[in-house]
Amino acid sequence: MTARADLARRTRQRVSEVEALFQLNAFGPLRVVQGVLPAMRERGAGRPAFVSSVQGRLVVPIIGLYTASRWAMEAFAETLAVEAGHFGTEVSILQPSVSLCFSPPVTKA
């Protein structure tokens, strides 16, 4: 089996699996915001925060459908920022990713 054929075999997913990804990563946040947005609009203030992933902007082989679901959620959040912004609503997208922290060596006097 060639590497390309193996990749194609591993990336084939049922439509139901793709729907589940979109239900969780795109439609779930949409439903939550639809529930709280009327109160934010009435108050004239609010900030829905969407937790995404670095895959919301970066395509990684083999998990492209997951990435697509994250892109969909981020597109919704960006659209919401434009459409609900004039009601005093601000939107945040949090993209957790890997970060490395290095401490300087400790020196003793």
Side-chain angles (χ1 to χ4, degrees), residues 76-87:
F76 166 67
E78 291 177 15
T79 302
L80 180 65
V82 172
E83 293 181 353
H86 63 279
F87 293 115

Side-chain angles (χ1 to χ4, degrees), residues 26 32 35 37 45 52 59 63 68 73-74 87 100:
V32 171
L37 193 59
S52 185
V59 176
I63 59 169
M73 188 269 304
E74 288 199 20
F87 293 115
L100 301 174

Side-chain angles (χ1 to χ4, degrees), residues 21-34 50 73:
L21 277 174
F22 275 80
Q23 286 294 335
L24 177 66
N25 294 327
F27 299 128
L30 170 64
R31 288 185 185 100
V32 171
V33 168
Q34 284 179 329
F50 294 83
M73 188 269 304

Side-chain angles (χ1 to χ4, degrees), residues 1 4-13:
M1 179 182 305
R4 178 170 281 162
D6 184 50
L7 178 63
R9 180 186 57 78
R10 288 186 291 150
T11 57
R12 231 175 293 152
Q13 290 182 298

